[in-house]
Amino acid sequence: THRMRDILSSYNSLLEKTYVDIASLEEPVIWREVRTRRGNRQFPIRISQNSKFVRRIFSRGSWDLHGRFYGGFWQQISETLRKDIFINGNPTIEVDYKALHVTLLYARFLNEQRVWSYGEDPYDLDVQLSQSVPRDVQRKRVKSIILQAINANSRKAAFSAFRDNANSGAPEKRLTNEDLEKLLNAFLEEHPELDEFIATDTGVDLMRLDGAMTEEIIRLMTDKGIPVLTIHDSYIV
């Protein structure tokens, strides 16, 4: 814990001295729709130098579960806006680990090396389940249901989480459990080895692994005096 705190403290000290901005905004605020018990409400996300503090969160009273980094405003904005982030007046690029949790399942728990080469994507199925649903839309739905299913402790809970996570008014809100079961099973037909991890609450273990990876990236970059903005499986530099 002392080592983890030292790394995080050094990182926040570097961020404090770093100017992070979204160059395309005329006003330093973004309004984001958030679901509440009273319905959807608009909340402001302040883009300021006071919105950069990062913390690390573990779960269930264990240092071995979860452990991701949270806090910077860059985690609360869209991928489109993230492209407009400048660090100390310089443009940035976002580099990500492709299909990270699927890759980690193969590597850590199945001892198989699966690296998705450029242009390949495990969420882009060989089959198009419905001619009325474009492949790019199908791919987004497959990715969402697989990530929910890895985190959930039952398929029913995963299907509910999928719909809860969909934007208000989106077609995904209306997908039935049967629709989502077809997507899930189509993925598992191409990746049958991963069936044993579906609806097993494996997500907190995987987040501990990607949190450790992020910690090492933060340590290496901070030691070089280079600020990096983390978004769990991608990094803005």
Side-chain angles (χ1 to χ4, degrees):
T1 57
H2 288 293
R3 179 191 59 79
M4 290 190 291
R5 181 177 290 275
D6 286 344
I7 292 172
L8 192 54
S9 179
S10 297
Y11 178 52
N12 275 310
S13 294
L14 178 60
L15 289 179
E16 187 177 17
K17 297 181 288 187
T18 301
Y19 192 84
V20 184
D21 194 19
I22 300 178
S24 58
L25 291 182
E26 293 185 9
E27 298 292 333
V29 63
I30 297 169
W31 290 90
R32 179 179 179 182
E33 188 175 274
V34 177
R35 290 184 296 273
T36 70
R37 292 180 179 178
R38 298 182 179 180
N40 293 346
R41 294 180 58 190
Q42 295 286 332
F43 284 91
I45 299 173
R46 305 293 176 183
I47 310 302
S48 77
Q49 303 314 301
N50 296 321
S51 305
K52 299 181 298 184
F53 185 80
V54 173
R55 61 192 62 79
R56 194 172 184 187
I57 297 177
F58 293 84
S59 296
R60 305 174 190 175
S62 172
W63 298 112
D64 296 321
L65 298 175
H66 204 163
R68 280 182 164 183
F69 294 79
Y70 295 89
F73 69 77
W74 45 87
Q75 292 186 345
Q76 303 178 65
I77 63 177
S78 68
E79 182 179 357
T80 300
L81 276 176
R82 291 201 300 266
K83 294 178 181 179
D84 296 335
I85 287 179
F86 273 52
I87 296 178
N88 291 329
N90 297 309
T92 59
I93 188 171
E94 184 172 348
V95 184
D96 72 333
Y97 286 104
K98 184 177 292 184
L100 180 58
H101 278 191
V102 169
T103 304
L104 287 177
L105 285 175
Y106 275 115
R108 182 63 179 262
F109 298 106
L110 296 172
N111 296 316
E112 293 186 31
Q113 180 102 3
R114 294 291 182 100
V115 180
W116 315 107
S117 59
Y118 187 81
E120 294 183 5
D121 187 339
Y123 300 123
D124 187 9
L125 304 181
D126 291 337
V127 60
Q128 186 172 351
L129 299 178
S130 172
Q131 294 302 315
S132 63
V133 179
R135 291 187 68 95
D136 61 327
V137 175
Q138 175 181 279
R139 184 259 177 202
K140 291 179 181 178
R141 292 176 178 179
V142 169
K143 178 179 179 180
S144 180
I145 190 56
I146 294 306
L147 294 180
Q148 297 294 349
I150 290 172
N151 282 280
N153 54 22
S154 72
R155 290 195 174 205
K156 185 177 180 180
F159 300 152
S160 295
F162 174 95
R163 288 186 289 266
D164 288 343
N165 196 52
N167 293 328
S168 178
E172 286 72 19
K173 284 284 190 187
R174 300 189 297 273
L175 293 182
T176 65
N177 287 3
E178 183 180 5
D179 295 329
L180 297 174
E181 189 90 43
K182 290 179 181 178
L183 286 173
L184 180 56
N185 289 338
F187 175 86
L188 292 175
E189 285 183 14
E190 297 185 16
H191 300 274
E193 307 94 330
L194 301 185
D195 190 22
E196 64 179 285
F197 303 108
I198 297 301
T200 56
D201 192 25
T202 307
V204 287
D205 298 299
L206 296 174
M207 286 188 279
R208 182 65 181 90
L209 290 174
D210 69 46
M213 293 166 61
T214 295
E215 181 187 55
E216 182 64 1
I217 290 171
I218 286 174
R219 184 190 68 79
L220 289 168
M221 298 292 277
T222 302
D223 284 350
K224 296 176 180 293
I226 301 173
V228 55
L229 313 181
T230 71
I231 309 159
H232 308 320
D233 62 354
S234 68
Y235 306 85
I236 298 172
V237 288

